[in-house]
Amino acid sequence: MSSTYTSNLRIEKAATSKLKDVNFENIAFGKTFTDHMFMCDFVNGEWQQPQIMPYQPMTMQPSARVFHYGQAVFEGMKAYKDDDGKVFLFRPEENFKRINKSSARLAMPEFPKDYFFEGLTTLLNLDKDWIKPGVGNSLYIRPFAIAIDPAIAAAPGESYRFMIICAPAKAYYKGTVKVLIAEQFSRSANGGVGYAKAAGNYAAQFYPTNLAQQKGYQQVIWTDADTHTFLEEAGTMNVFFRINDTLITAPTSDRILDGVTRKSLIQLAEDNNIKCEVRPIKVNEIVEASKNGSLKEIFGAGTAAVISPIEGFEYQDTYYELPEIGAHSYSSMLKERMLNIQHNLAEDKHHWRYEIK
Ligand SMILES: Cc1ncc(COP(=O)(O)O)c(C=O)c1O
């Protein structure tokens, strides 16, 4: 292993690469990690020297606060490679801003922008052979931050760790999904942490999602916690509805994550002369639209799948099936447009691509 310094960043390269042992044809999402990881600790009120090192286990005291109070935030982003071997991120500044917004809500220190981008760029250059070209292939990037103080007092910690790990990903397409509209459980509450990518938000979704899966639904569409009458998110994605030729998605709030895919799709809809309304959507409106045939599509939107089409939903013990519109769907058109921009196959008029040099 060799150690070098670029500006403030300390780099320890892996002696050998694990790449040759990976079968890219058959890769399970989020289980295989690249050769290196990024790590930076916050101690005595300051971020310490950032480091890149071989991906490895780490030790931590059992009393570390993250284990007891869930003081943890994360991000999800992707890197893509074009046929010339150039590597791109998609709107990474949005993820950077969002992790600091999440950290602020969890009383954690914000991470410096130059550390984030230098760490990310260096990490991706070191591990760029792990990114395969071609639409559908990508490298999933997981920045996260945790409280590491060895102290179980229920108060914000004083020591934190910011890390970035990366996992190669294949096209994430599981076909269409059936969803259950939540009538009892909530993902987030007014004044809560729904707008943050707080680890605990996801743990809290597992149980209601398991119950939905036992009923034959892959995901839950979350409704507002007060009345369960407004549609908010689908699983871990934002959600869009198409009534006749208009797309509708809920406005972001303290309960809804401000998704990068969501805001990009709103823009792409406008670019393609598709009307998109950002407004509260009642469950009853969707039920009525399904009954009278004007409901054409529902889809989830997020980094992992870009767009995940929904084939039907259950509400109050009734199942509503969506019509099959196949290749003419907004979901397939918008997904293709997004993927082409991400993979440097289409003009990037909003300057969303960020080349890694
Ligand atoms: C709760 C939730 N909503 C929406 C999204 C979609 O956000 P993005 O498009 O930034 O991936 C995610 C995933 O990151 C999420 O966890």
Side-chain angles (χ1 to χ4, degrees):
M1 289 181 191
S2 62
S3 286
T4 50
Y5 293 86
T6 6
S7 62
N8 194 32
L9 178 64
R10 181 175 179 276
I11 302 168
E12 183 192 319
K13 285 193 187 160
T16 54
S17 174
K18 299 171 293 185
L19 192 55
K20 57 187 176 319
D21 305 325
V22 178
N23 175 2
F24 276 84
E25 290 314 306
N26 187 16
I27 206 154
F29 177 74
K31 291 193 175 166
T32 303
F33 294 92
T34 61
D35 291 323
H36 298 93
M37 63 187 198
F38 172 87
M39 185 164 114
C40 186
D41 284 354
F42 183 89
V43 187
N44 297 328
E46 269 185 300
W47 289 103
Q48 306 295 307
Q49 185 185 32
Q51 305 180 51
I52 285 179
M53 59 187 72
Y55 180 90
Q56 60 193 282
M58 56 191 186
T59 57
M60 215 174 282
Q61 296 285 342
S63 53
R65 265 187 248 233
V66 63
F67 299 134
H68 304 274
Y69 307 114
Q71 209 185 356
V73 296
F74 71 97
E75 264 308 318
M77 51 204 292
K78 280 180 169 178
Y80 312 88
K81 192 182 264 179
D82 72 6
D83 289 337
D84 297 330
K86 287 193 212 146
V87 173
F88 298 93
L89 295 167
F90 184 74
R91 309 185 76 176
E93 184 115 5
E94 297 294 329
N95 300 92
F96 170 72
K97 284 193 271 185
R98 195 168 64 188
I99 199 164
N100 276 344
K101 199 167 151 191
S102 300
S103 291
R105 179 62 181 83
L106 279 258
M108 298 168 76
E110 295 187 4
F111 197 60
K113 187 171 178 182
D114 50 343
Y115 283 23
F116 181 80
F117 278 95
E118 189 187 7
L120 192 54
T121 302
T122 312
L123 187 61
L124 290 176
N125 274 315
L126 280 171
D127 285 344
K128 64 172 176 284
D129 291 346
W130 288 78
I131 315 171
K132 299 294 164 200
V135 171
N137 295 323
S138 63
L139 186 72
Y140 185 82
I141 303 165
R142 170 53 59 88
F144 64 103
I146 53 174
I148 57 173
D149 305 65
I152 54 169
E158 284 165 5
S159 314
Y160 296 91
R161 178 164 293 171
F162 190 100
M163 302 192 68
I164 307 176
I165 56 175
C166 302
K170 286 292 285 180
Y172 180 96
Y173 185 71
K174 295 215 170 106
T176 50
V177 297
K178 292 186 175 142
V179 296
L180 181 67
I181 296 186
E183 292 170 54
Q184 180 198 353
F185 293 104
S186 305
R187 192 191 83 86
S188 58
N190 294 335
V193 293
Y195 70 92
K197 274 185 88 76
N201 284 345
Y202 299 80
Q205 281 184 229
F206 295 160
Y207 175 67
T209 307
N210 278 350
L211 294 181
Q213 286 175 354
Q214 283 161 20
K215 287 185 81 178
Y217 297 97
Q218 287 83 31
Q219 281 299 348
V220 175
I221 291 199
W222 304 103
T223 48
D224 68 296
D226 280 346
T227 65
H228 294 291
T229 55
F230 288 96
L231 297 152
E232 301 210 315
E233 298 216 51
T236 58
M237 290 180 286
N238 294 113
V239 63
F240 286 76
F241 302 87
R242 174 181 170 188
I243 296 183
N244 291 320
D245 287 336
T246 301
L247 280 177
I248 312 164
T249 192
T252 53
S253 67
D254 54 1
R255 299 187 304 270
I256 297 182
L257 196 86
D258 185 5
V260 181
T261 316
R262 172 187 174 280
K263 68 175 96 173
S264 306
L265 290 176
I266 293 171
Q267 181 64 56
L268 281 185
E270 190 187 314
D271 295 351
N272 289 280
N273 299 319
I274 295 171
K275 192 169 168 215
C276 184
E277 295 176 358
V278 177
R279 62 164 172 86
I281 314 148
K282 280 200 156 175
V283 184
N284 280 345
E285 180 180 355
I286 294 306
V287 167
E288 280 313 308
S290 176
K291 284 183 184 160
N292 69 28
S294 58
L295 181 67
K296 307 290 184 208
E297 292 179 69
I298 307 179
F299 55 85
T303 295
V306 182
I307 283 182
S308 176
I310 289 169
E311 72 178 64
F313 62 92
E314 183 186 308
Y315 180 61
Q316 291 181 338
D317 298 321
T318 305
Y319 181 70
Y320 300 86
E321 181 130 348
L322 283 140
E324 279 203 28
I325 50 172
H328 302 295
S329 65
Y330 285 173
S331 64
S332 48
M333 190 273 273
L334 291 170
K335 182 171 181 173
E336 193 186 325
R337 300 261 148 125
M338 275 283 279
L339 285 169
N340 284 344
I341 296 173
Q342 289 168 335
H343 288 265
N344 195 25
L345 294 168
E347 188 201 354
D348 178 25
K349 71 175 191 184
H350 302 292
H351 309 290
W352 288 338
R353 279 193 298 264
Y354 176 100
E355 189 177 349
I356 296 295
K357 291 189 176 146

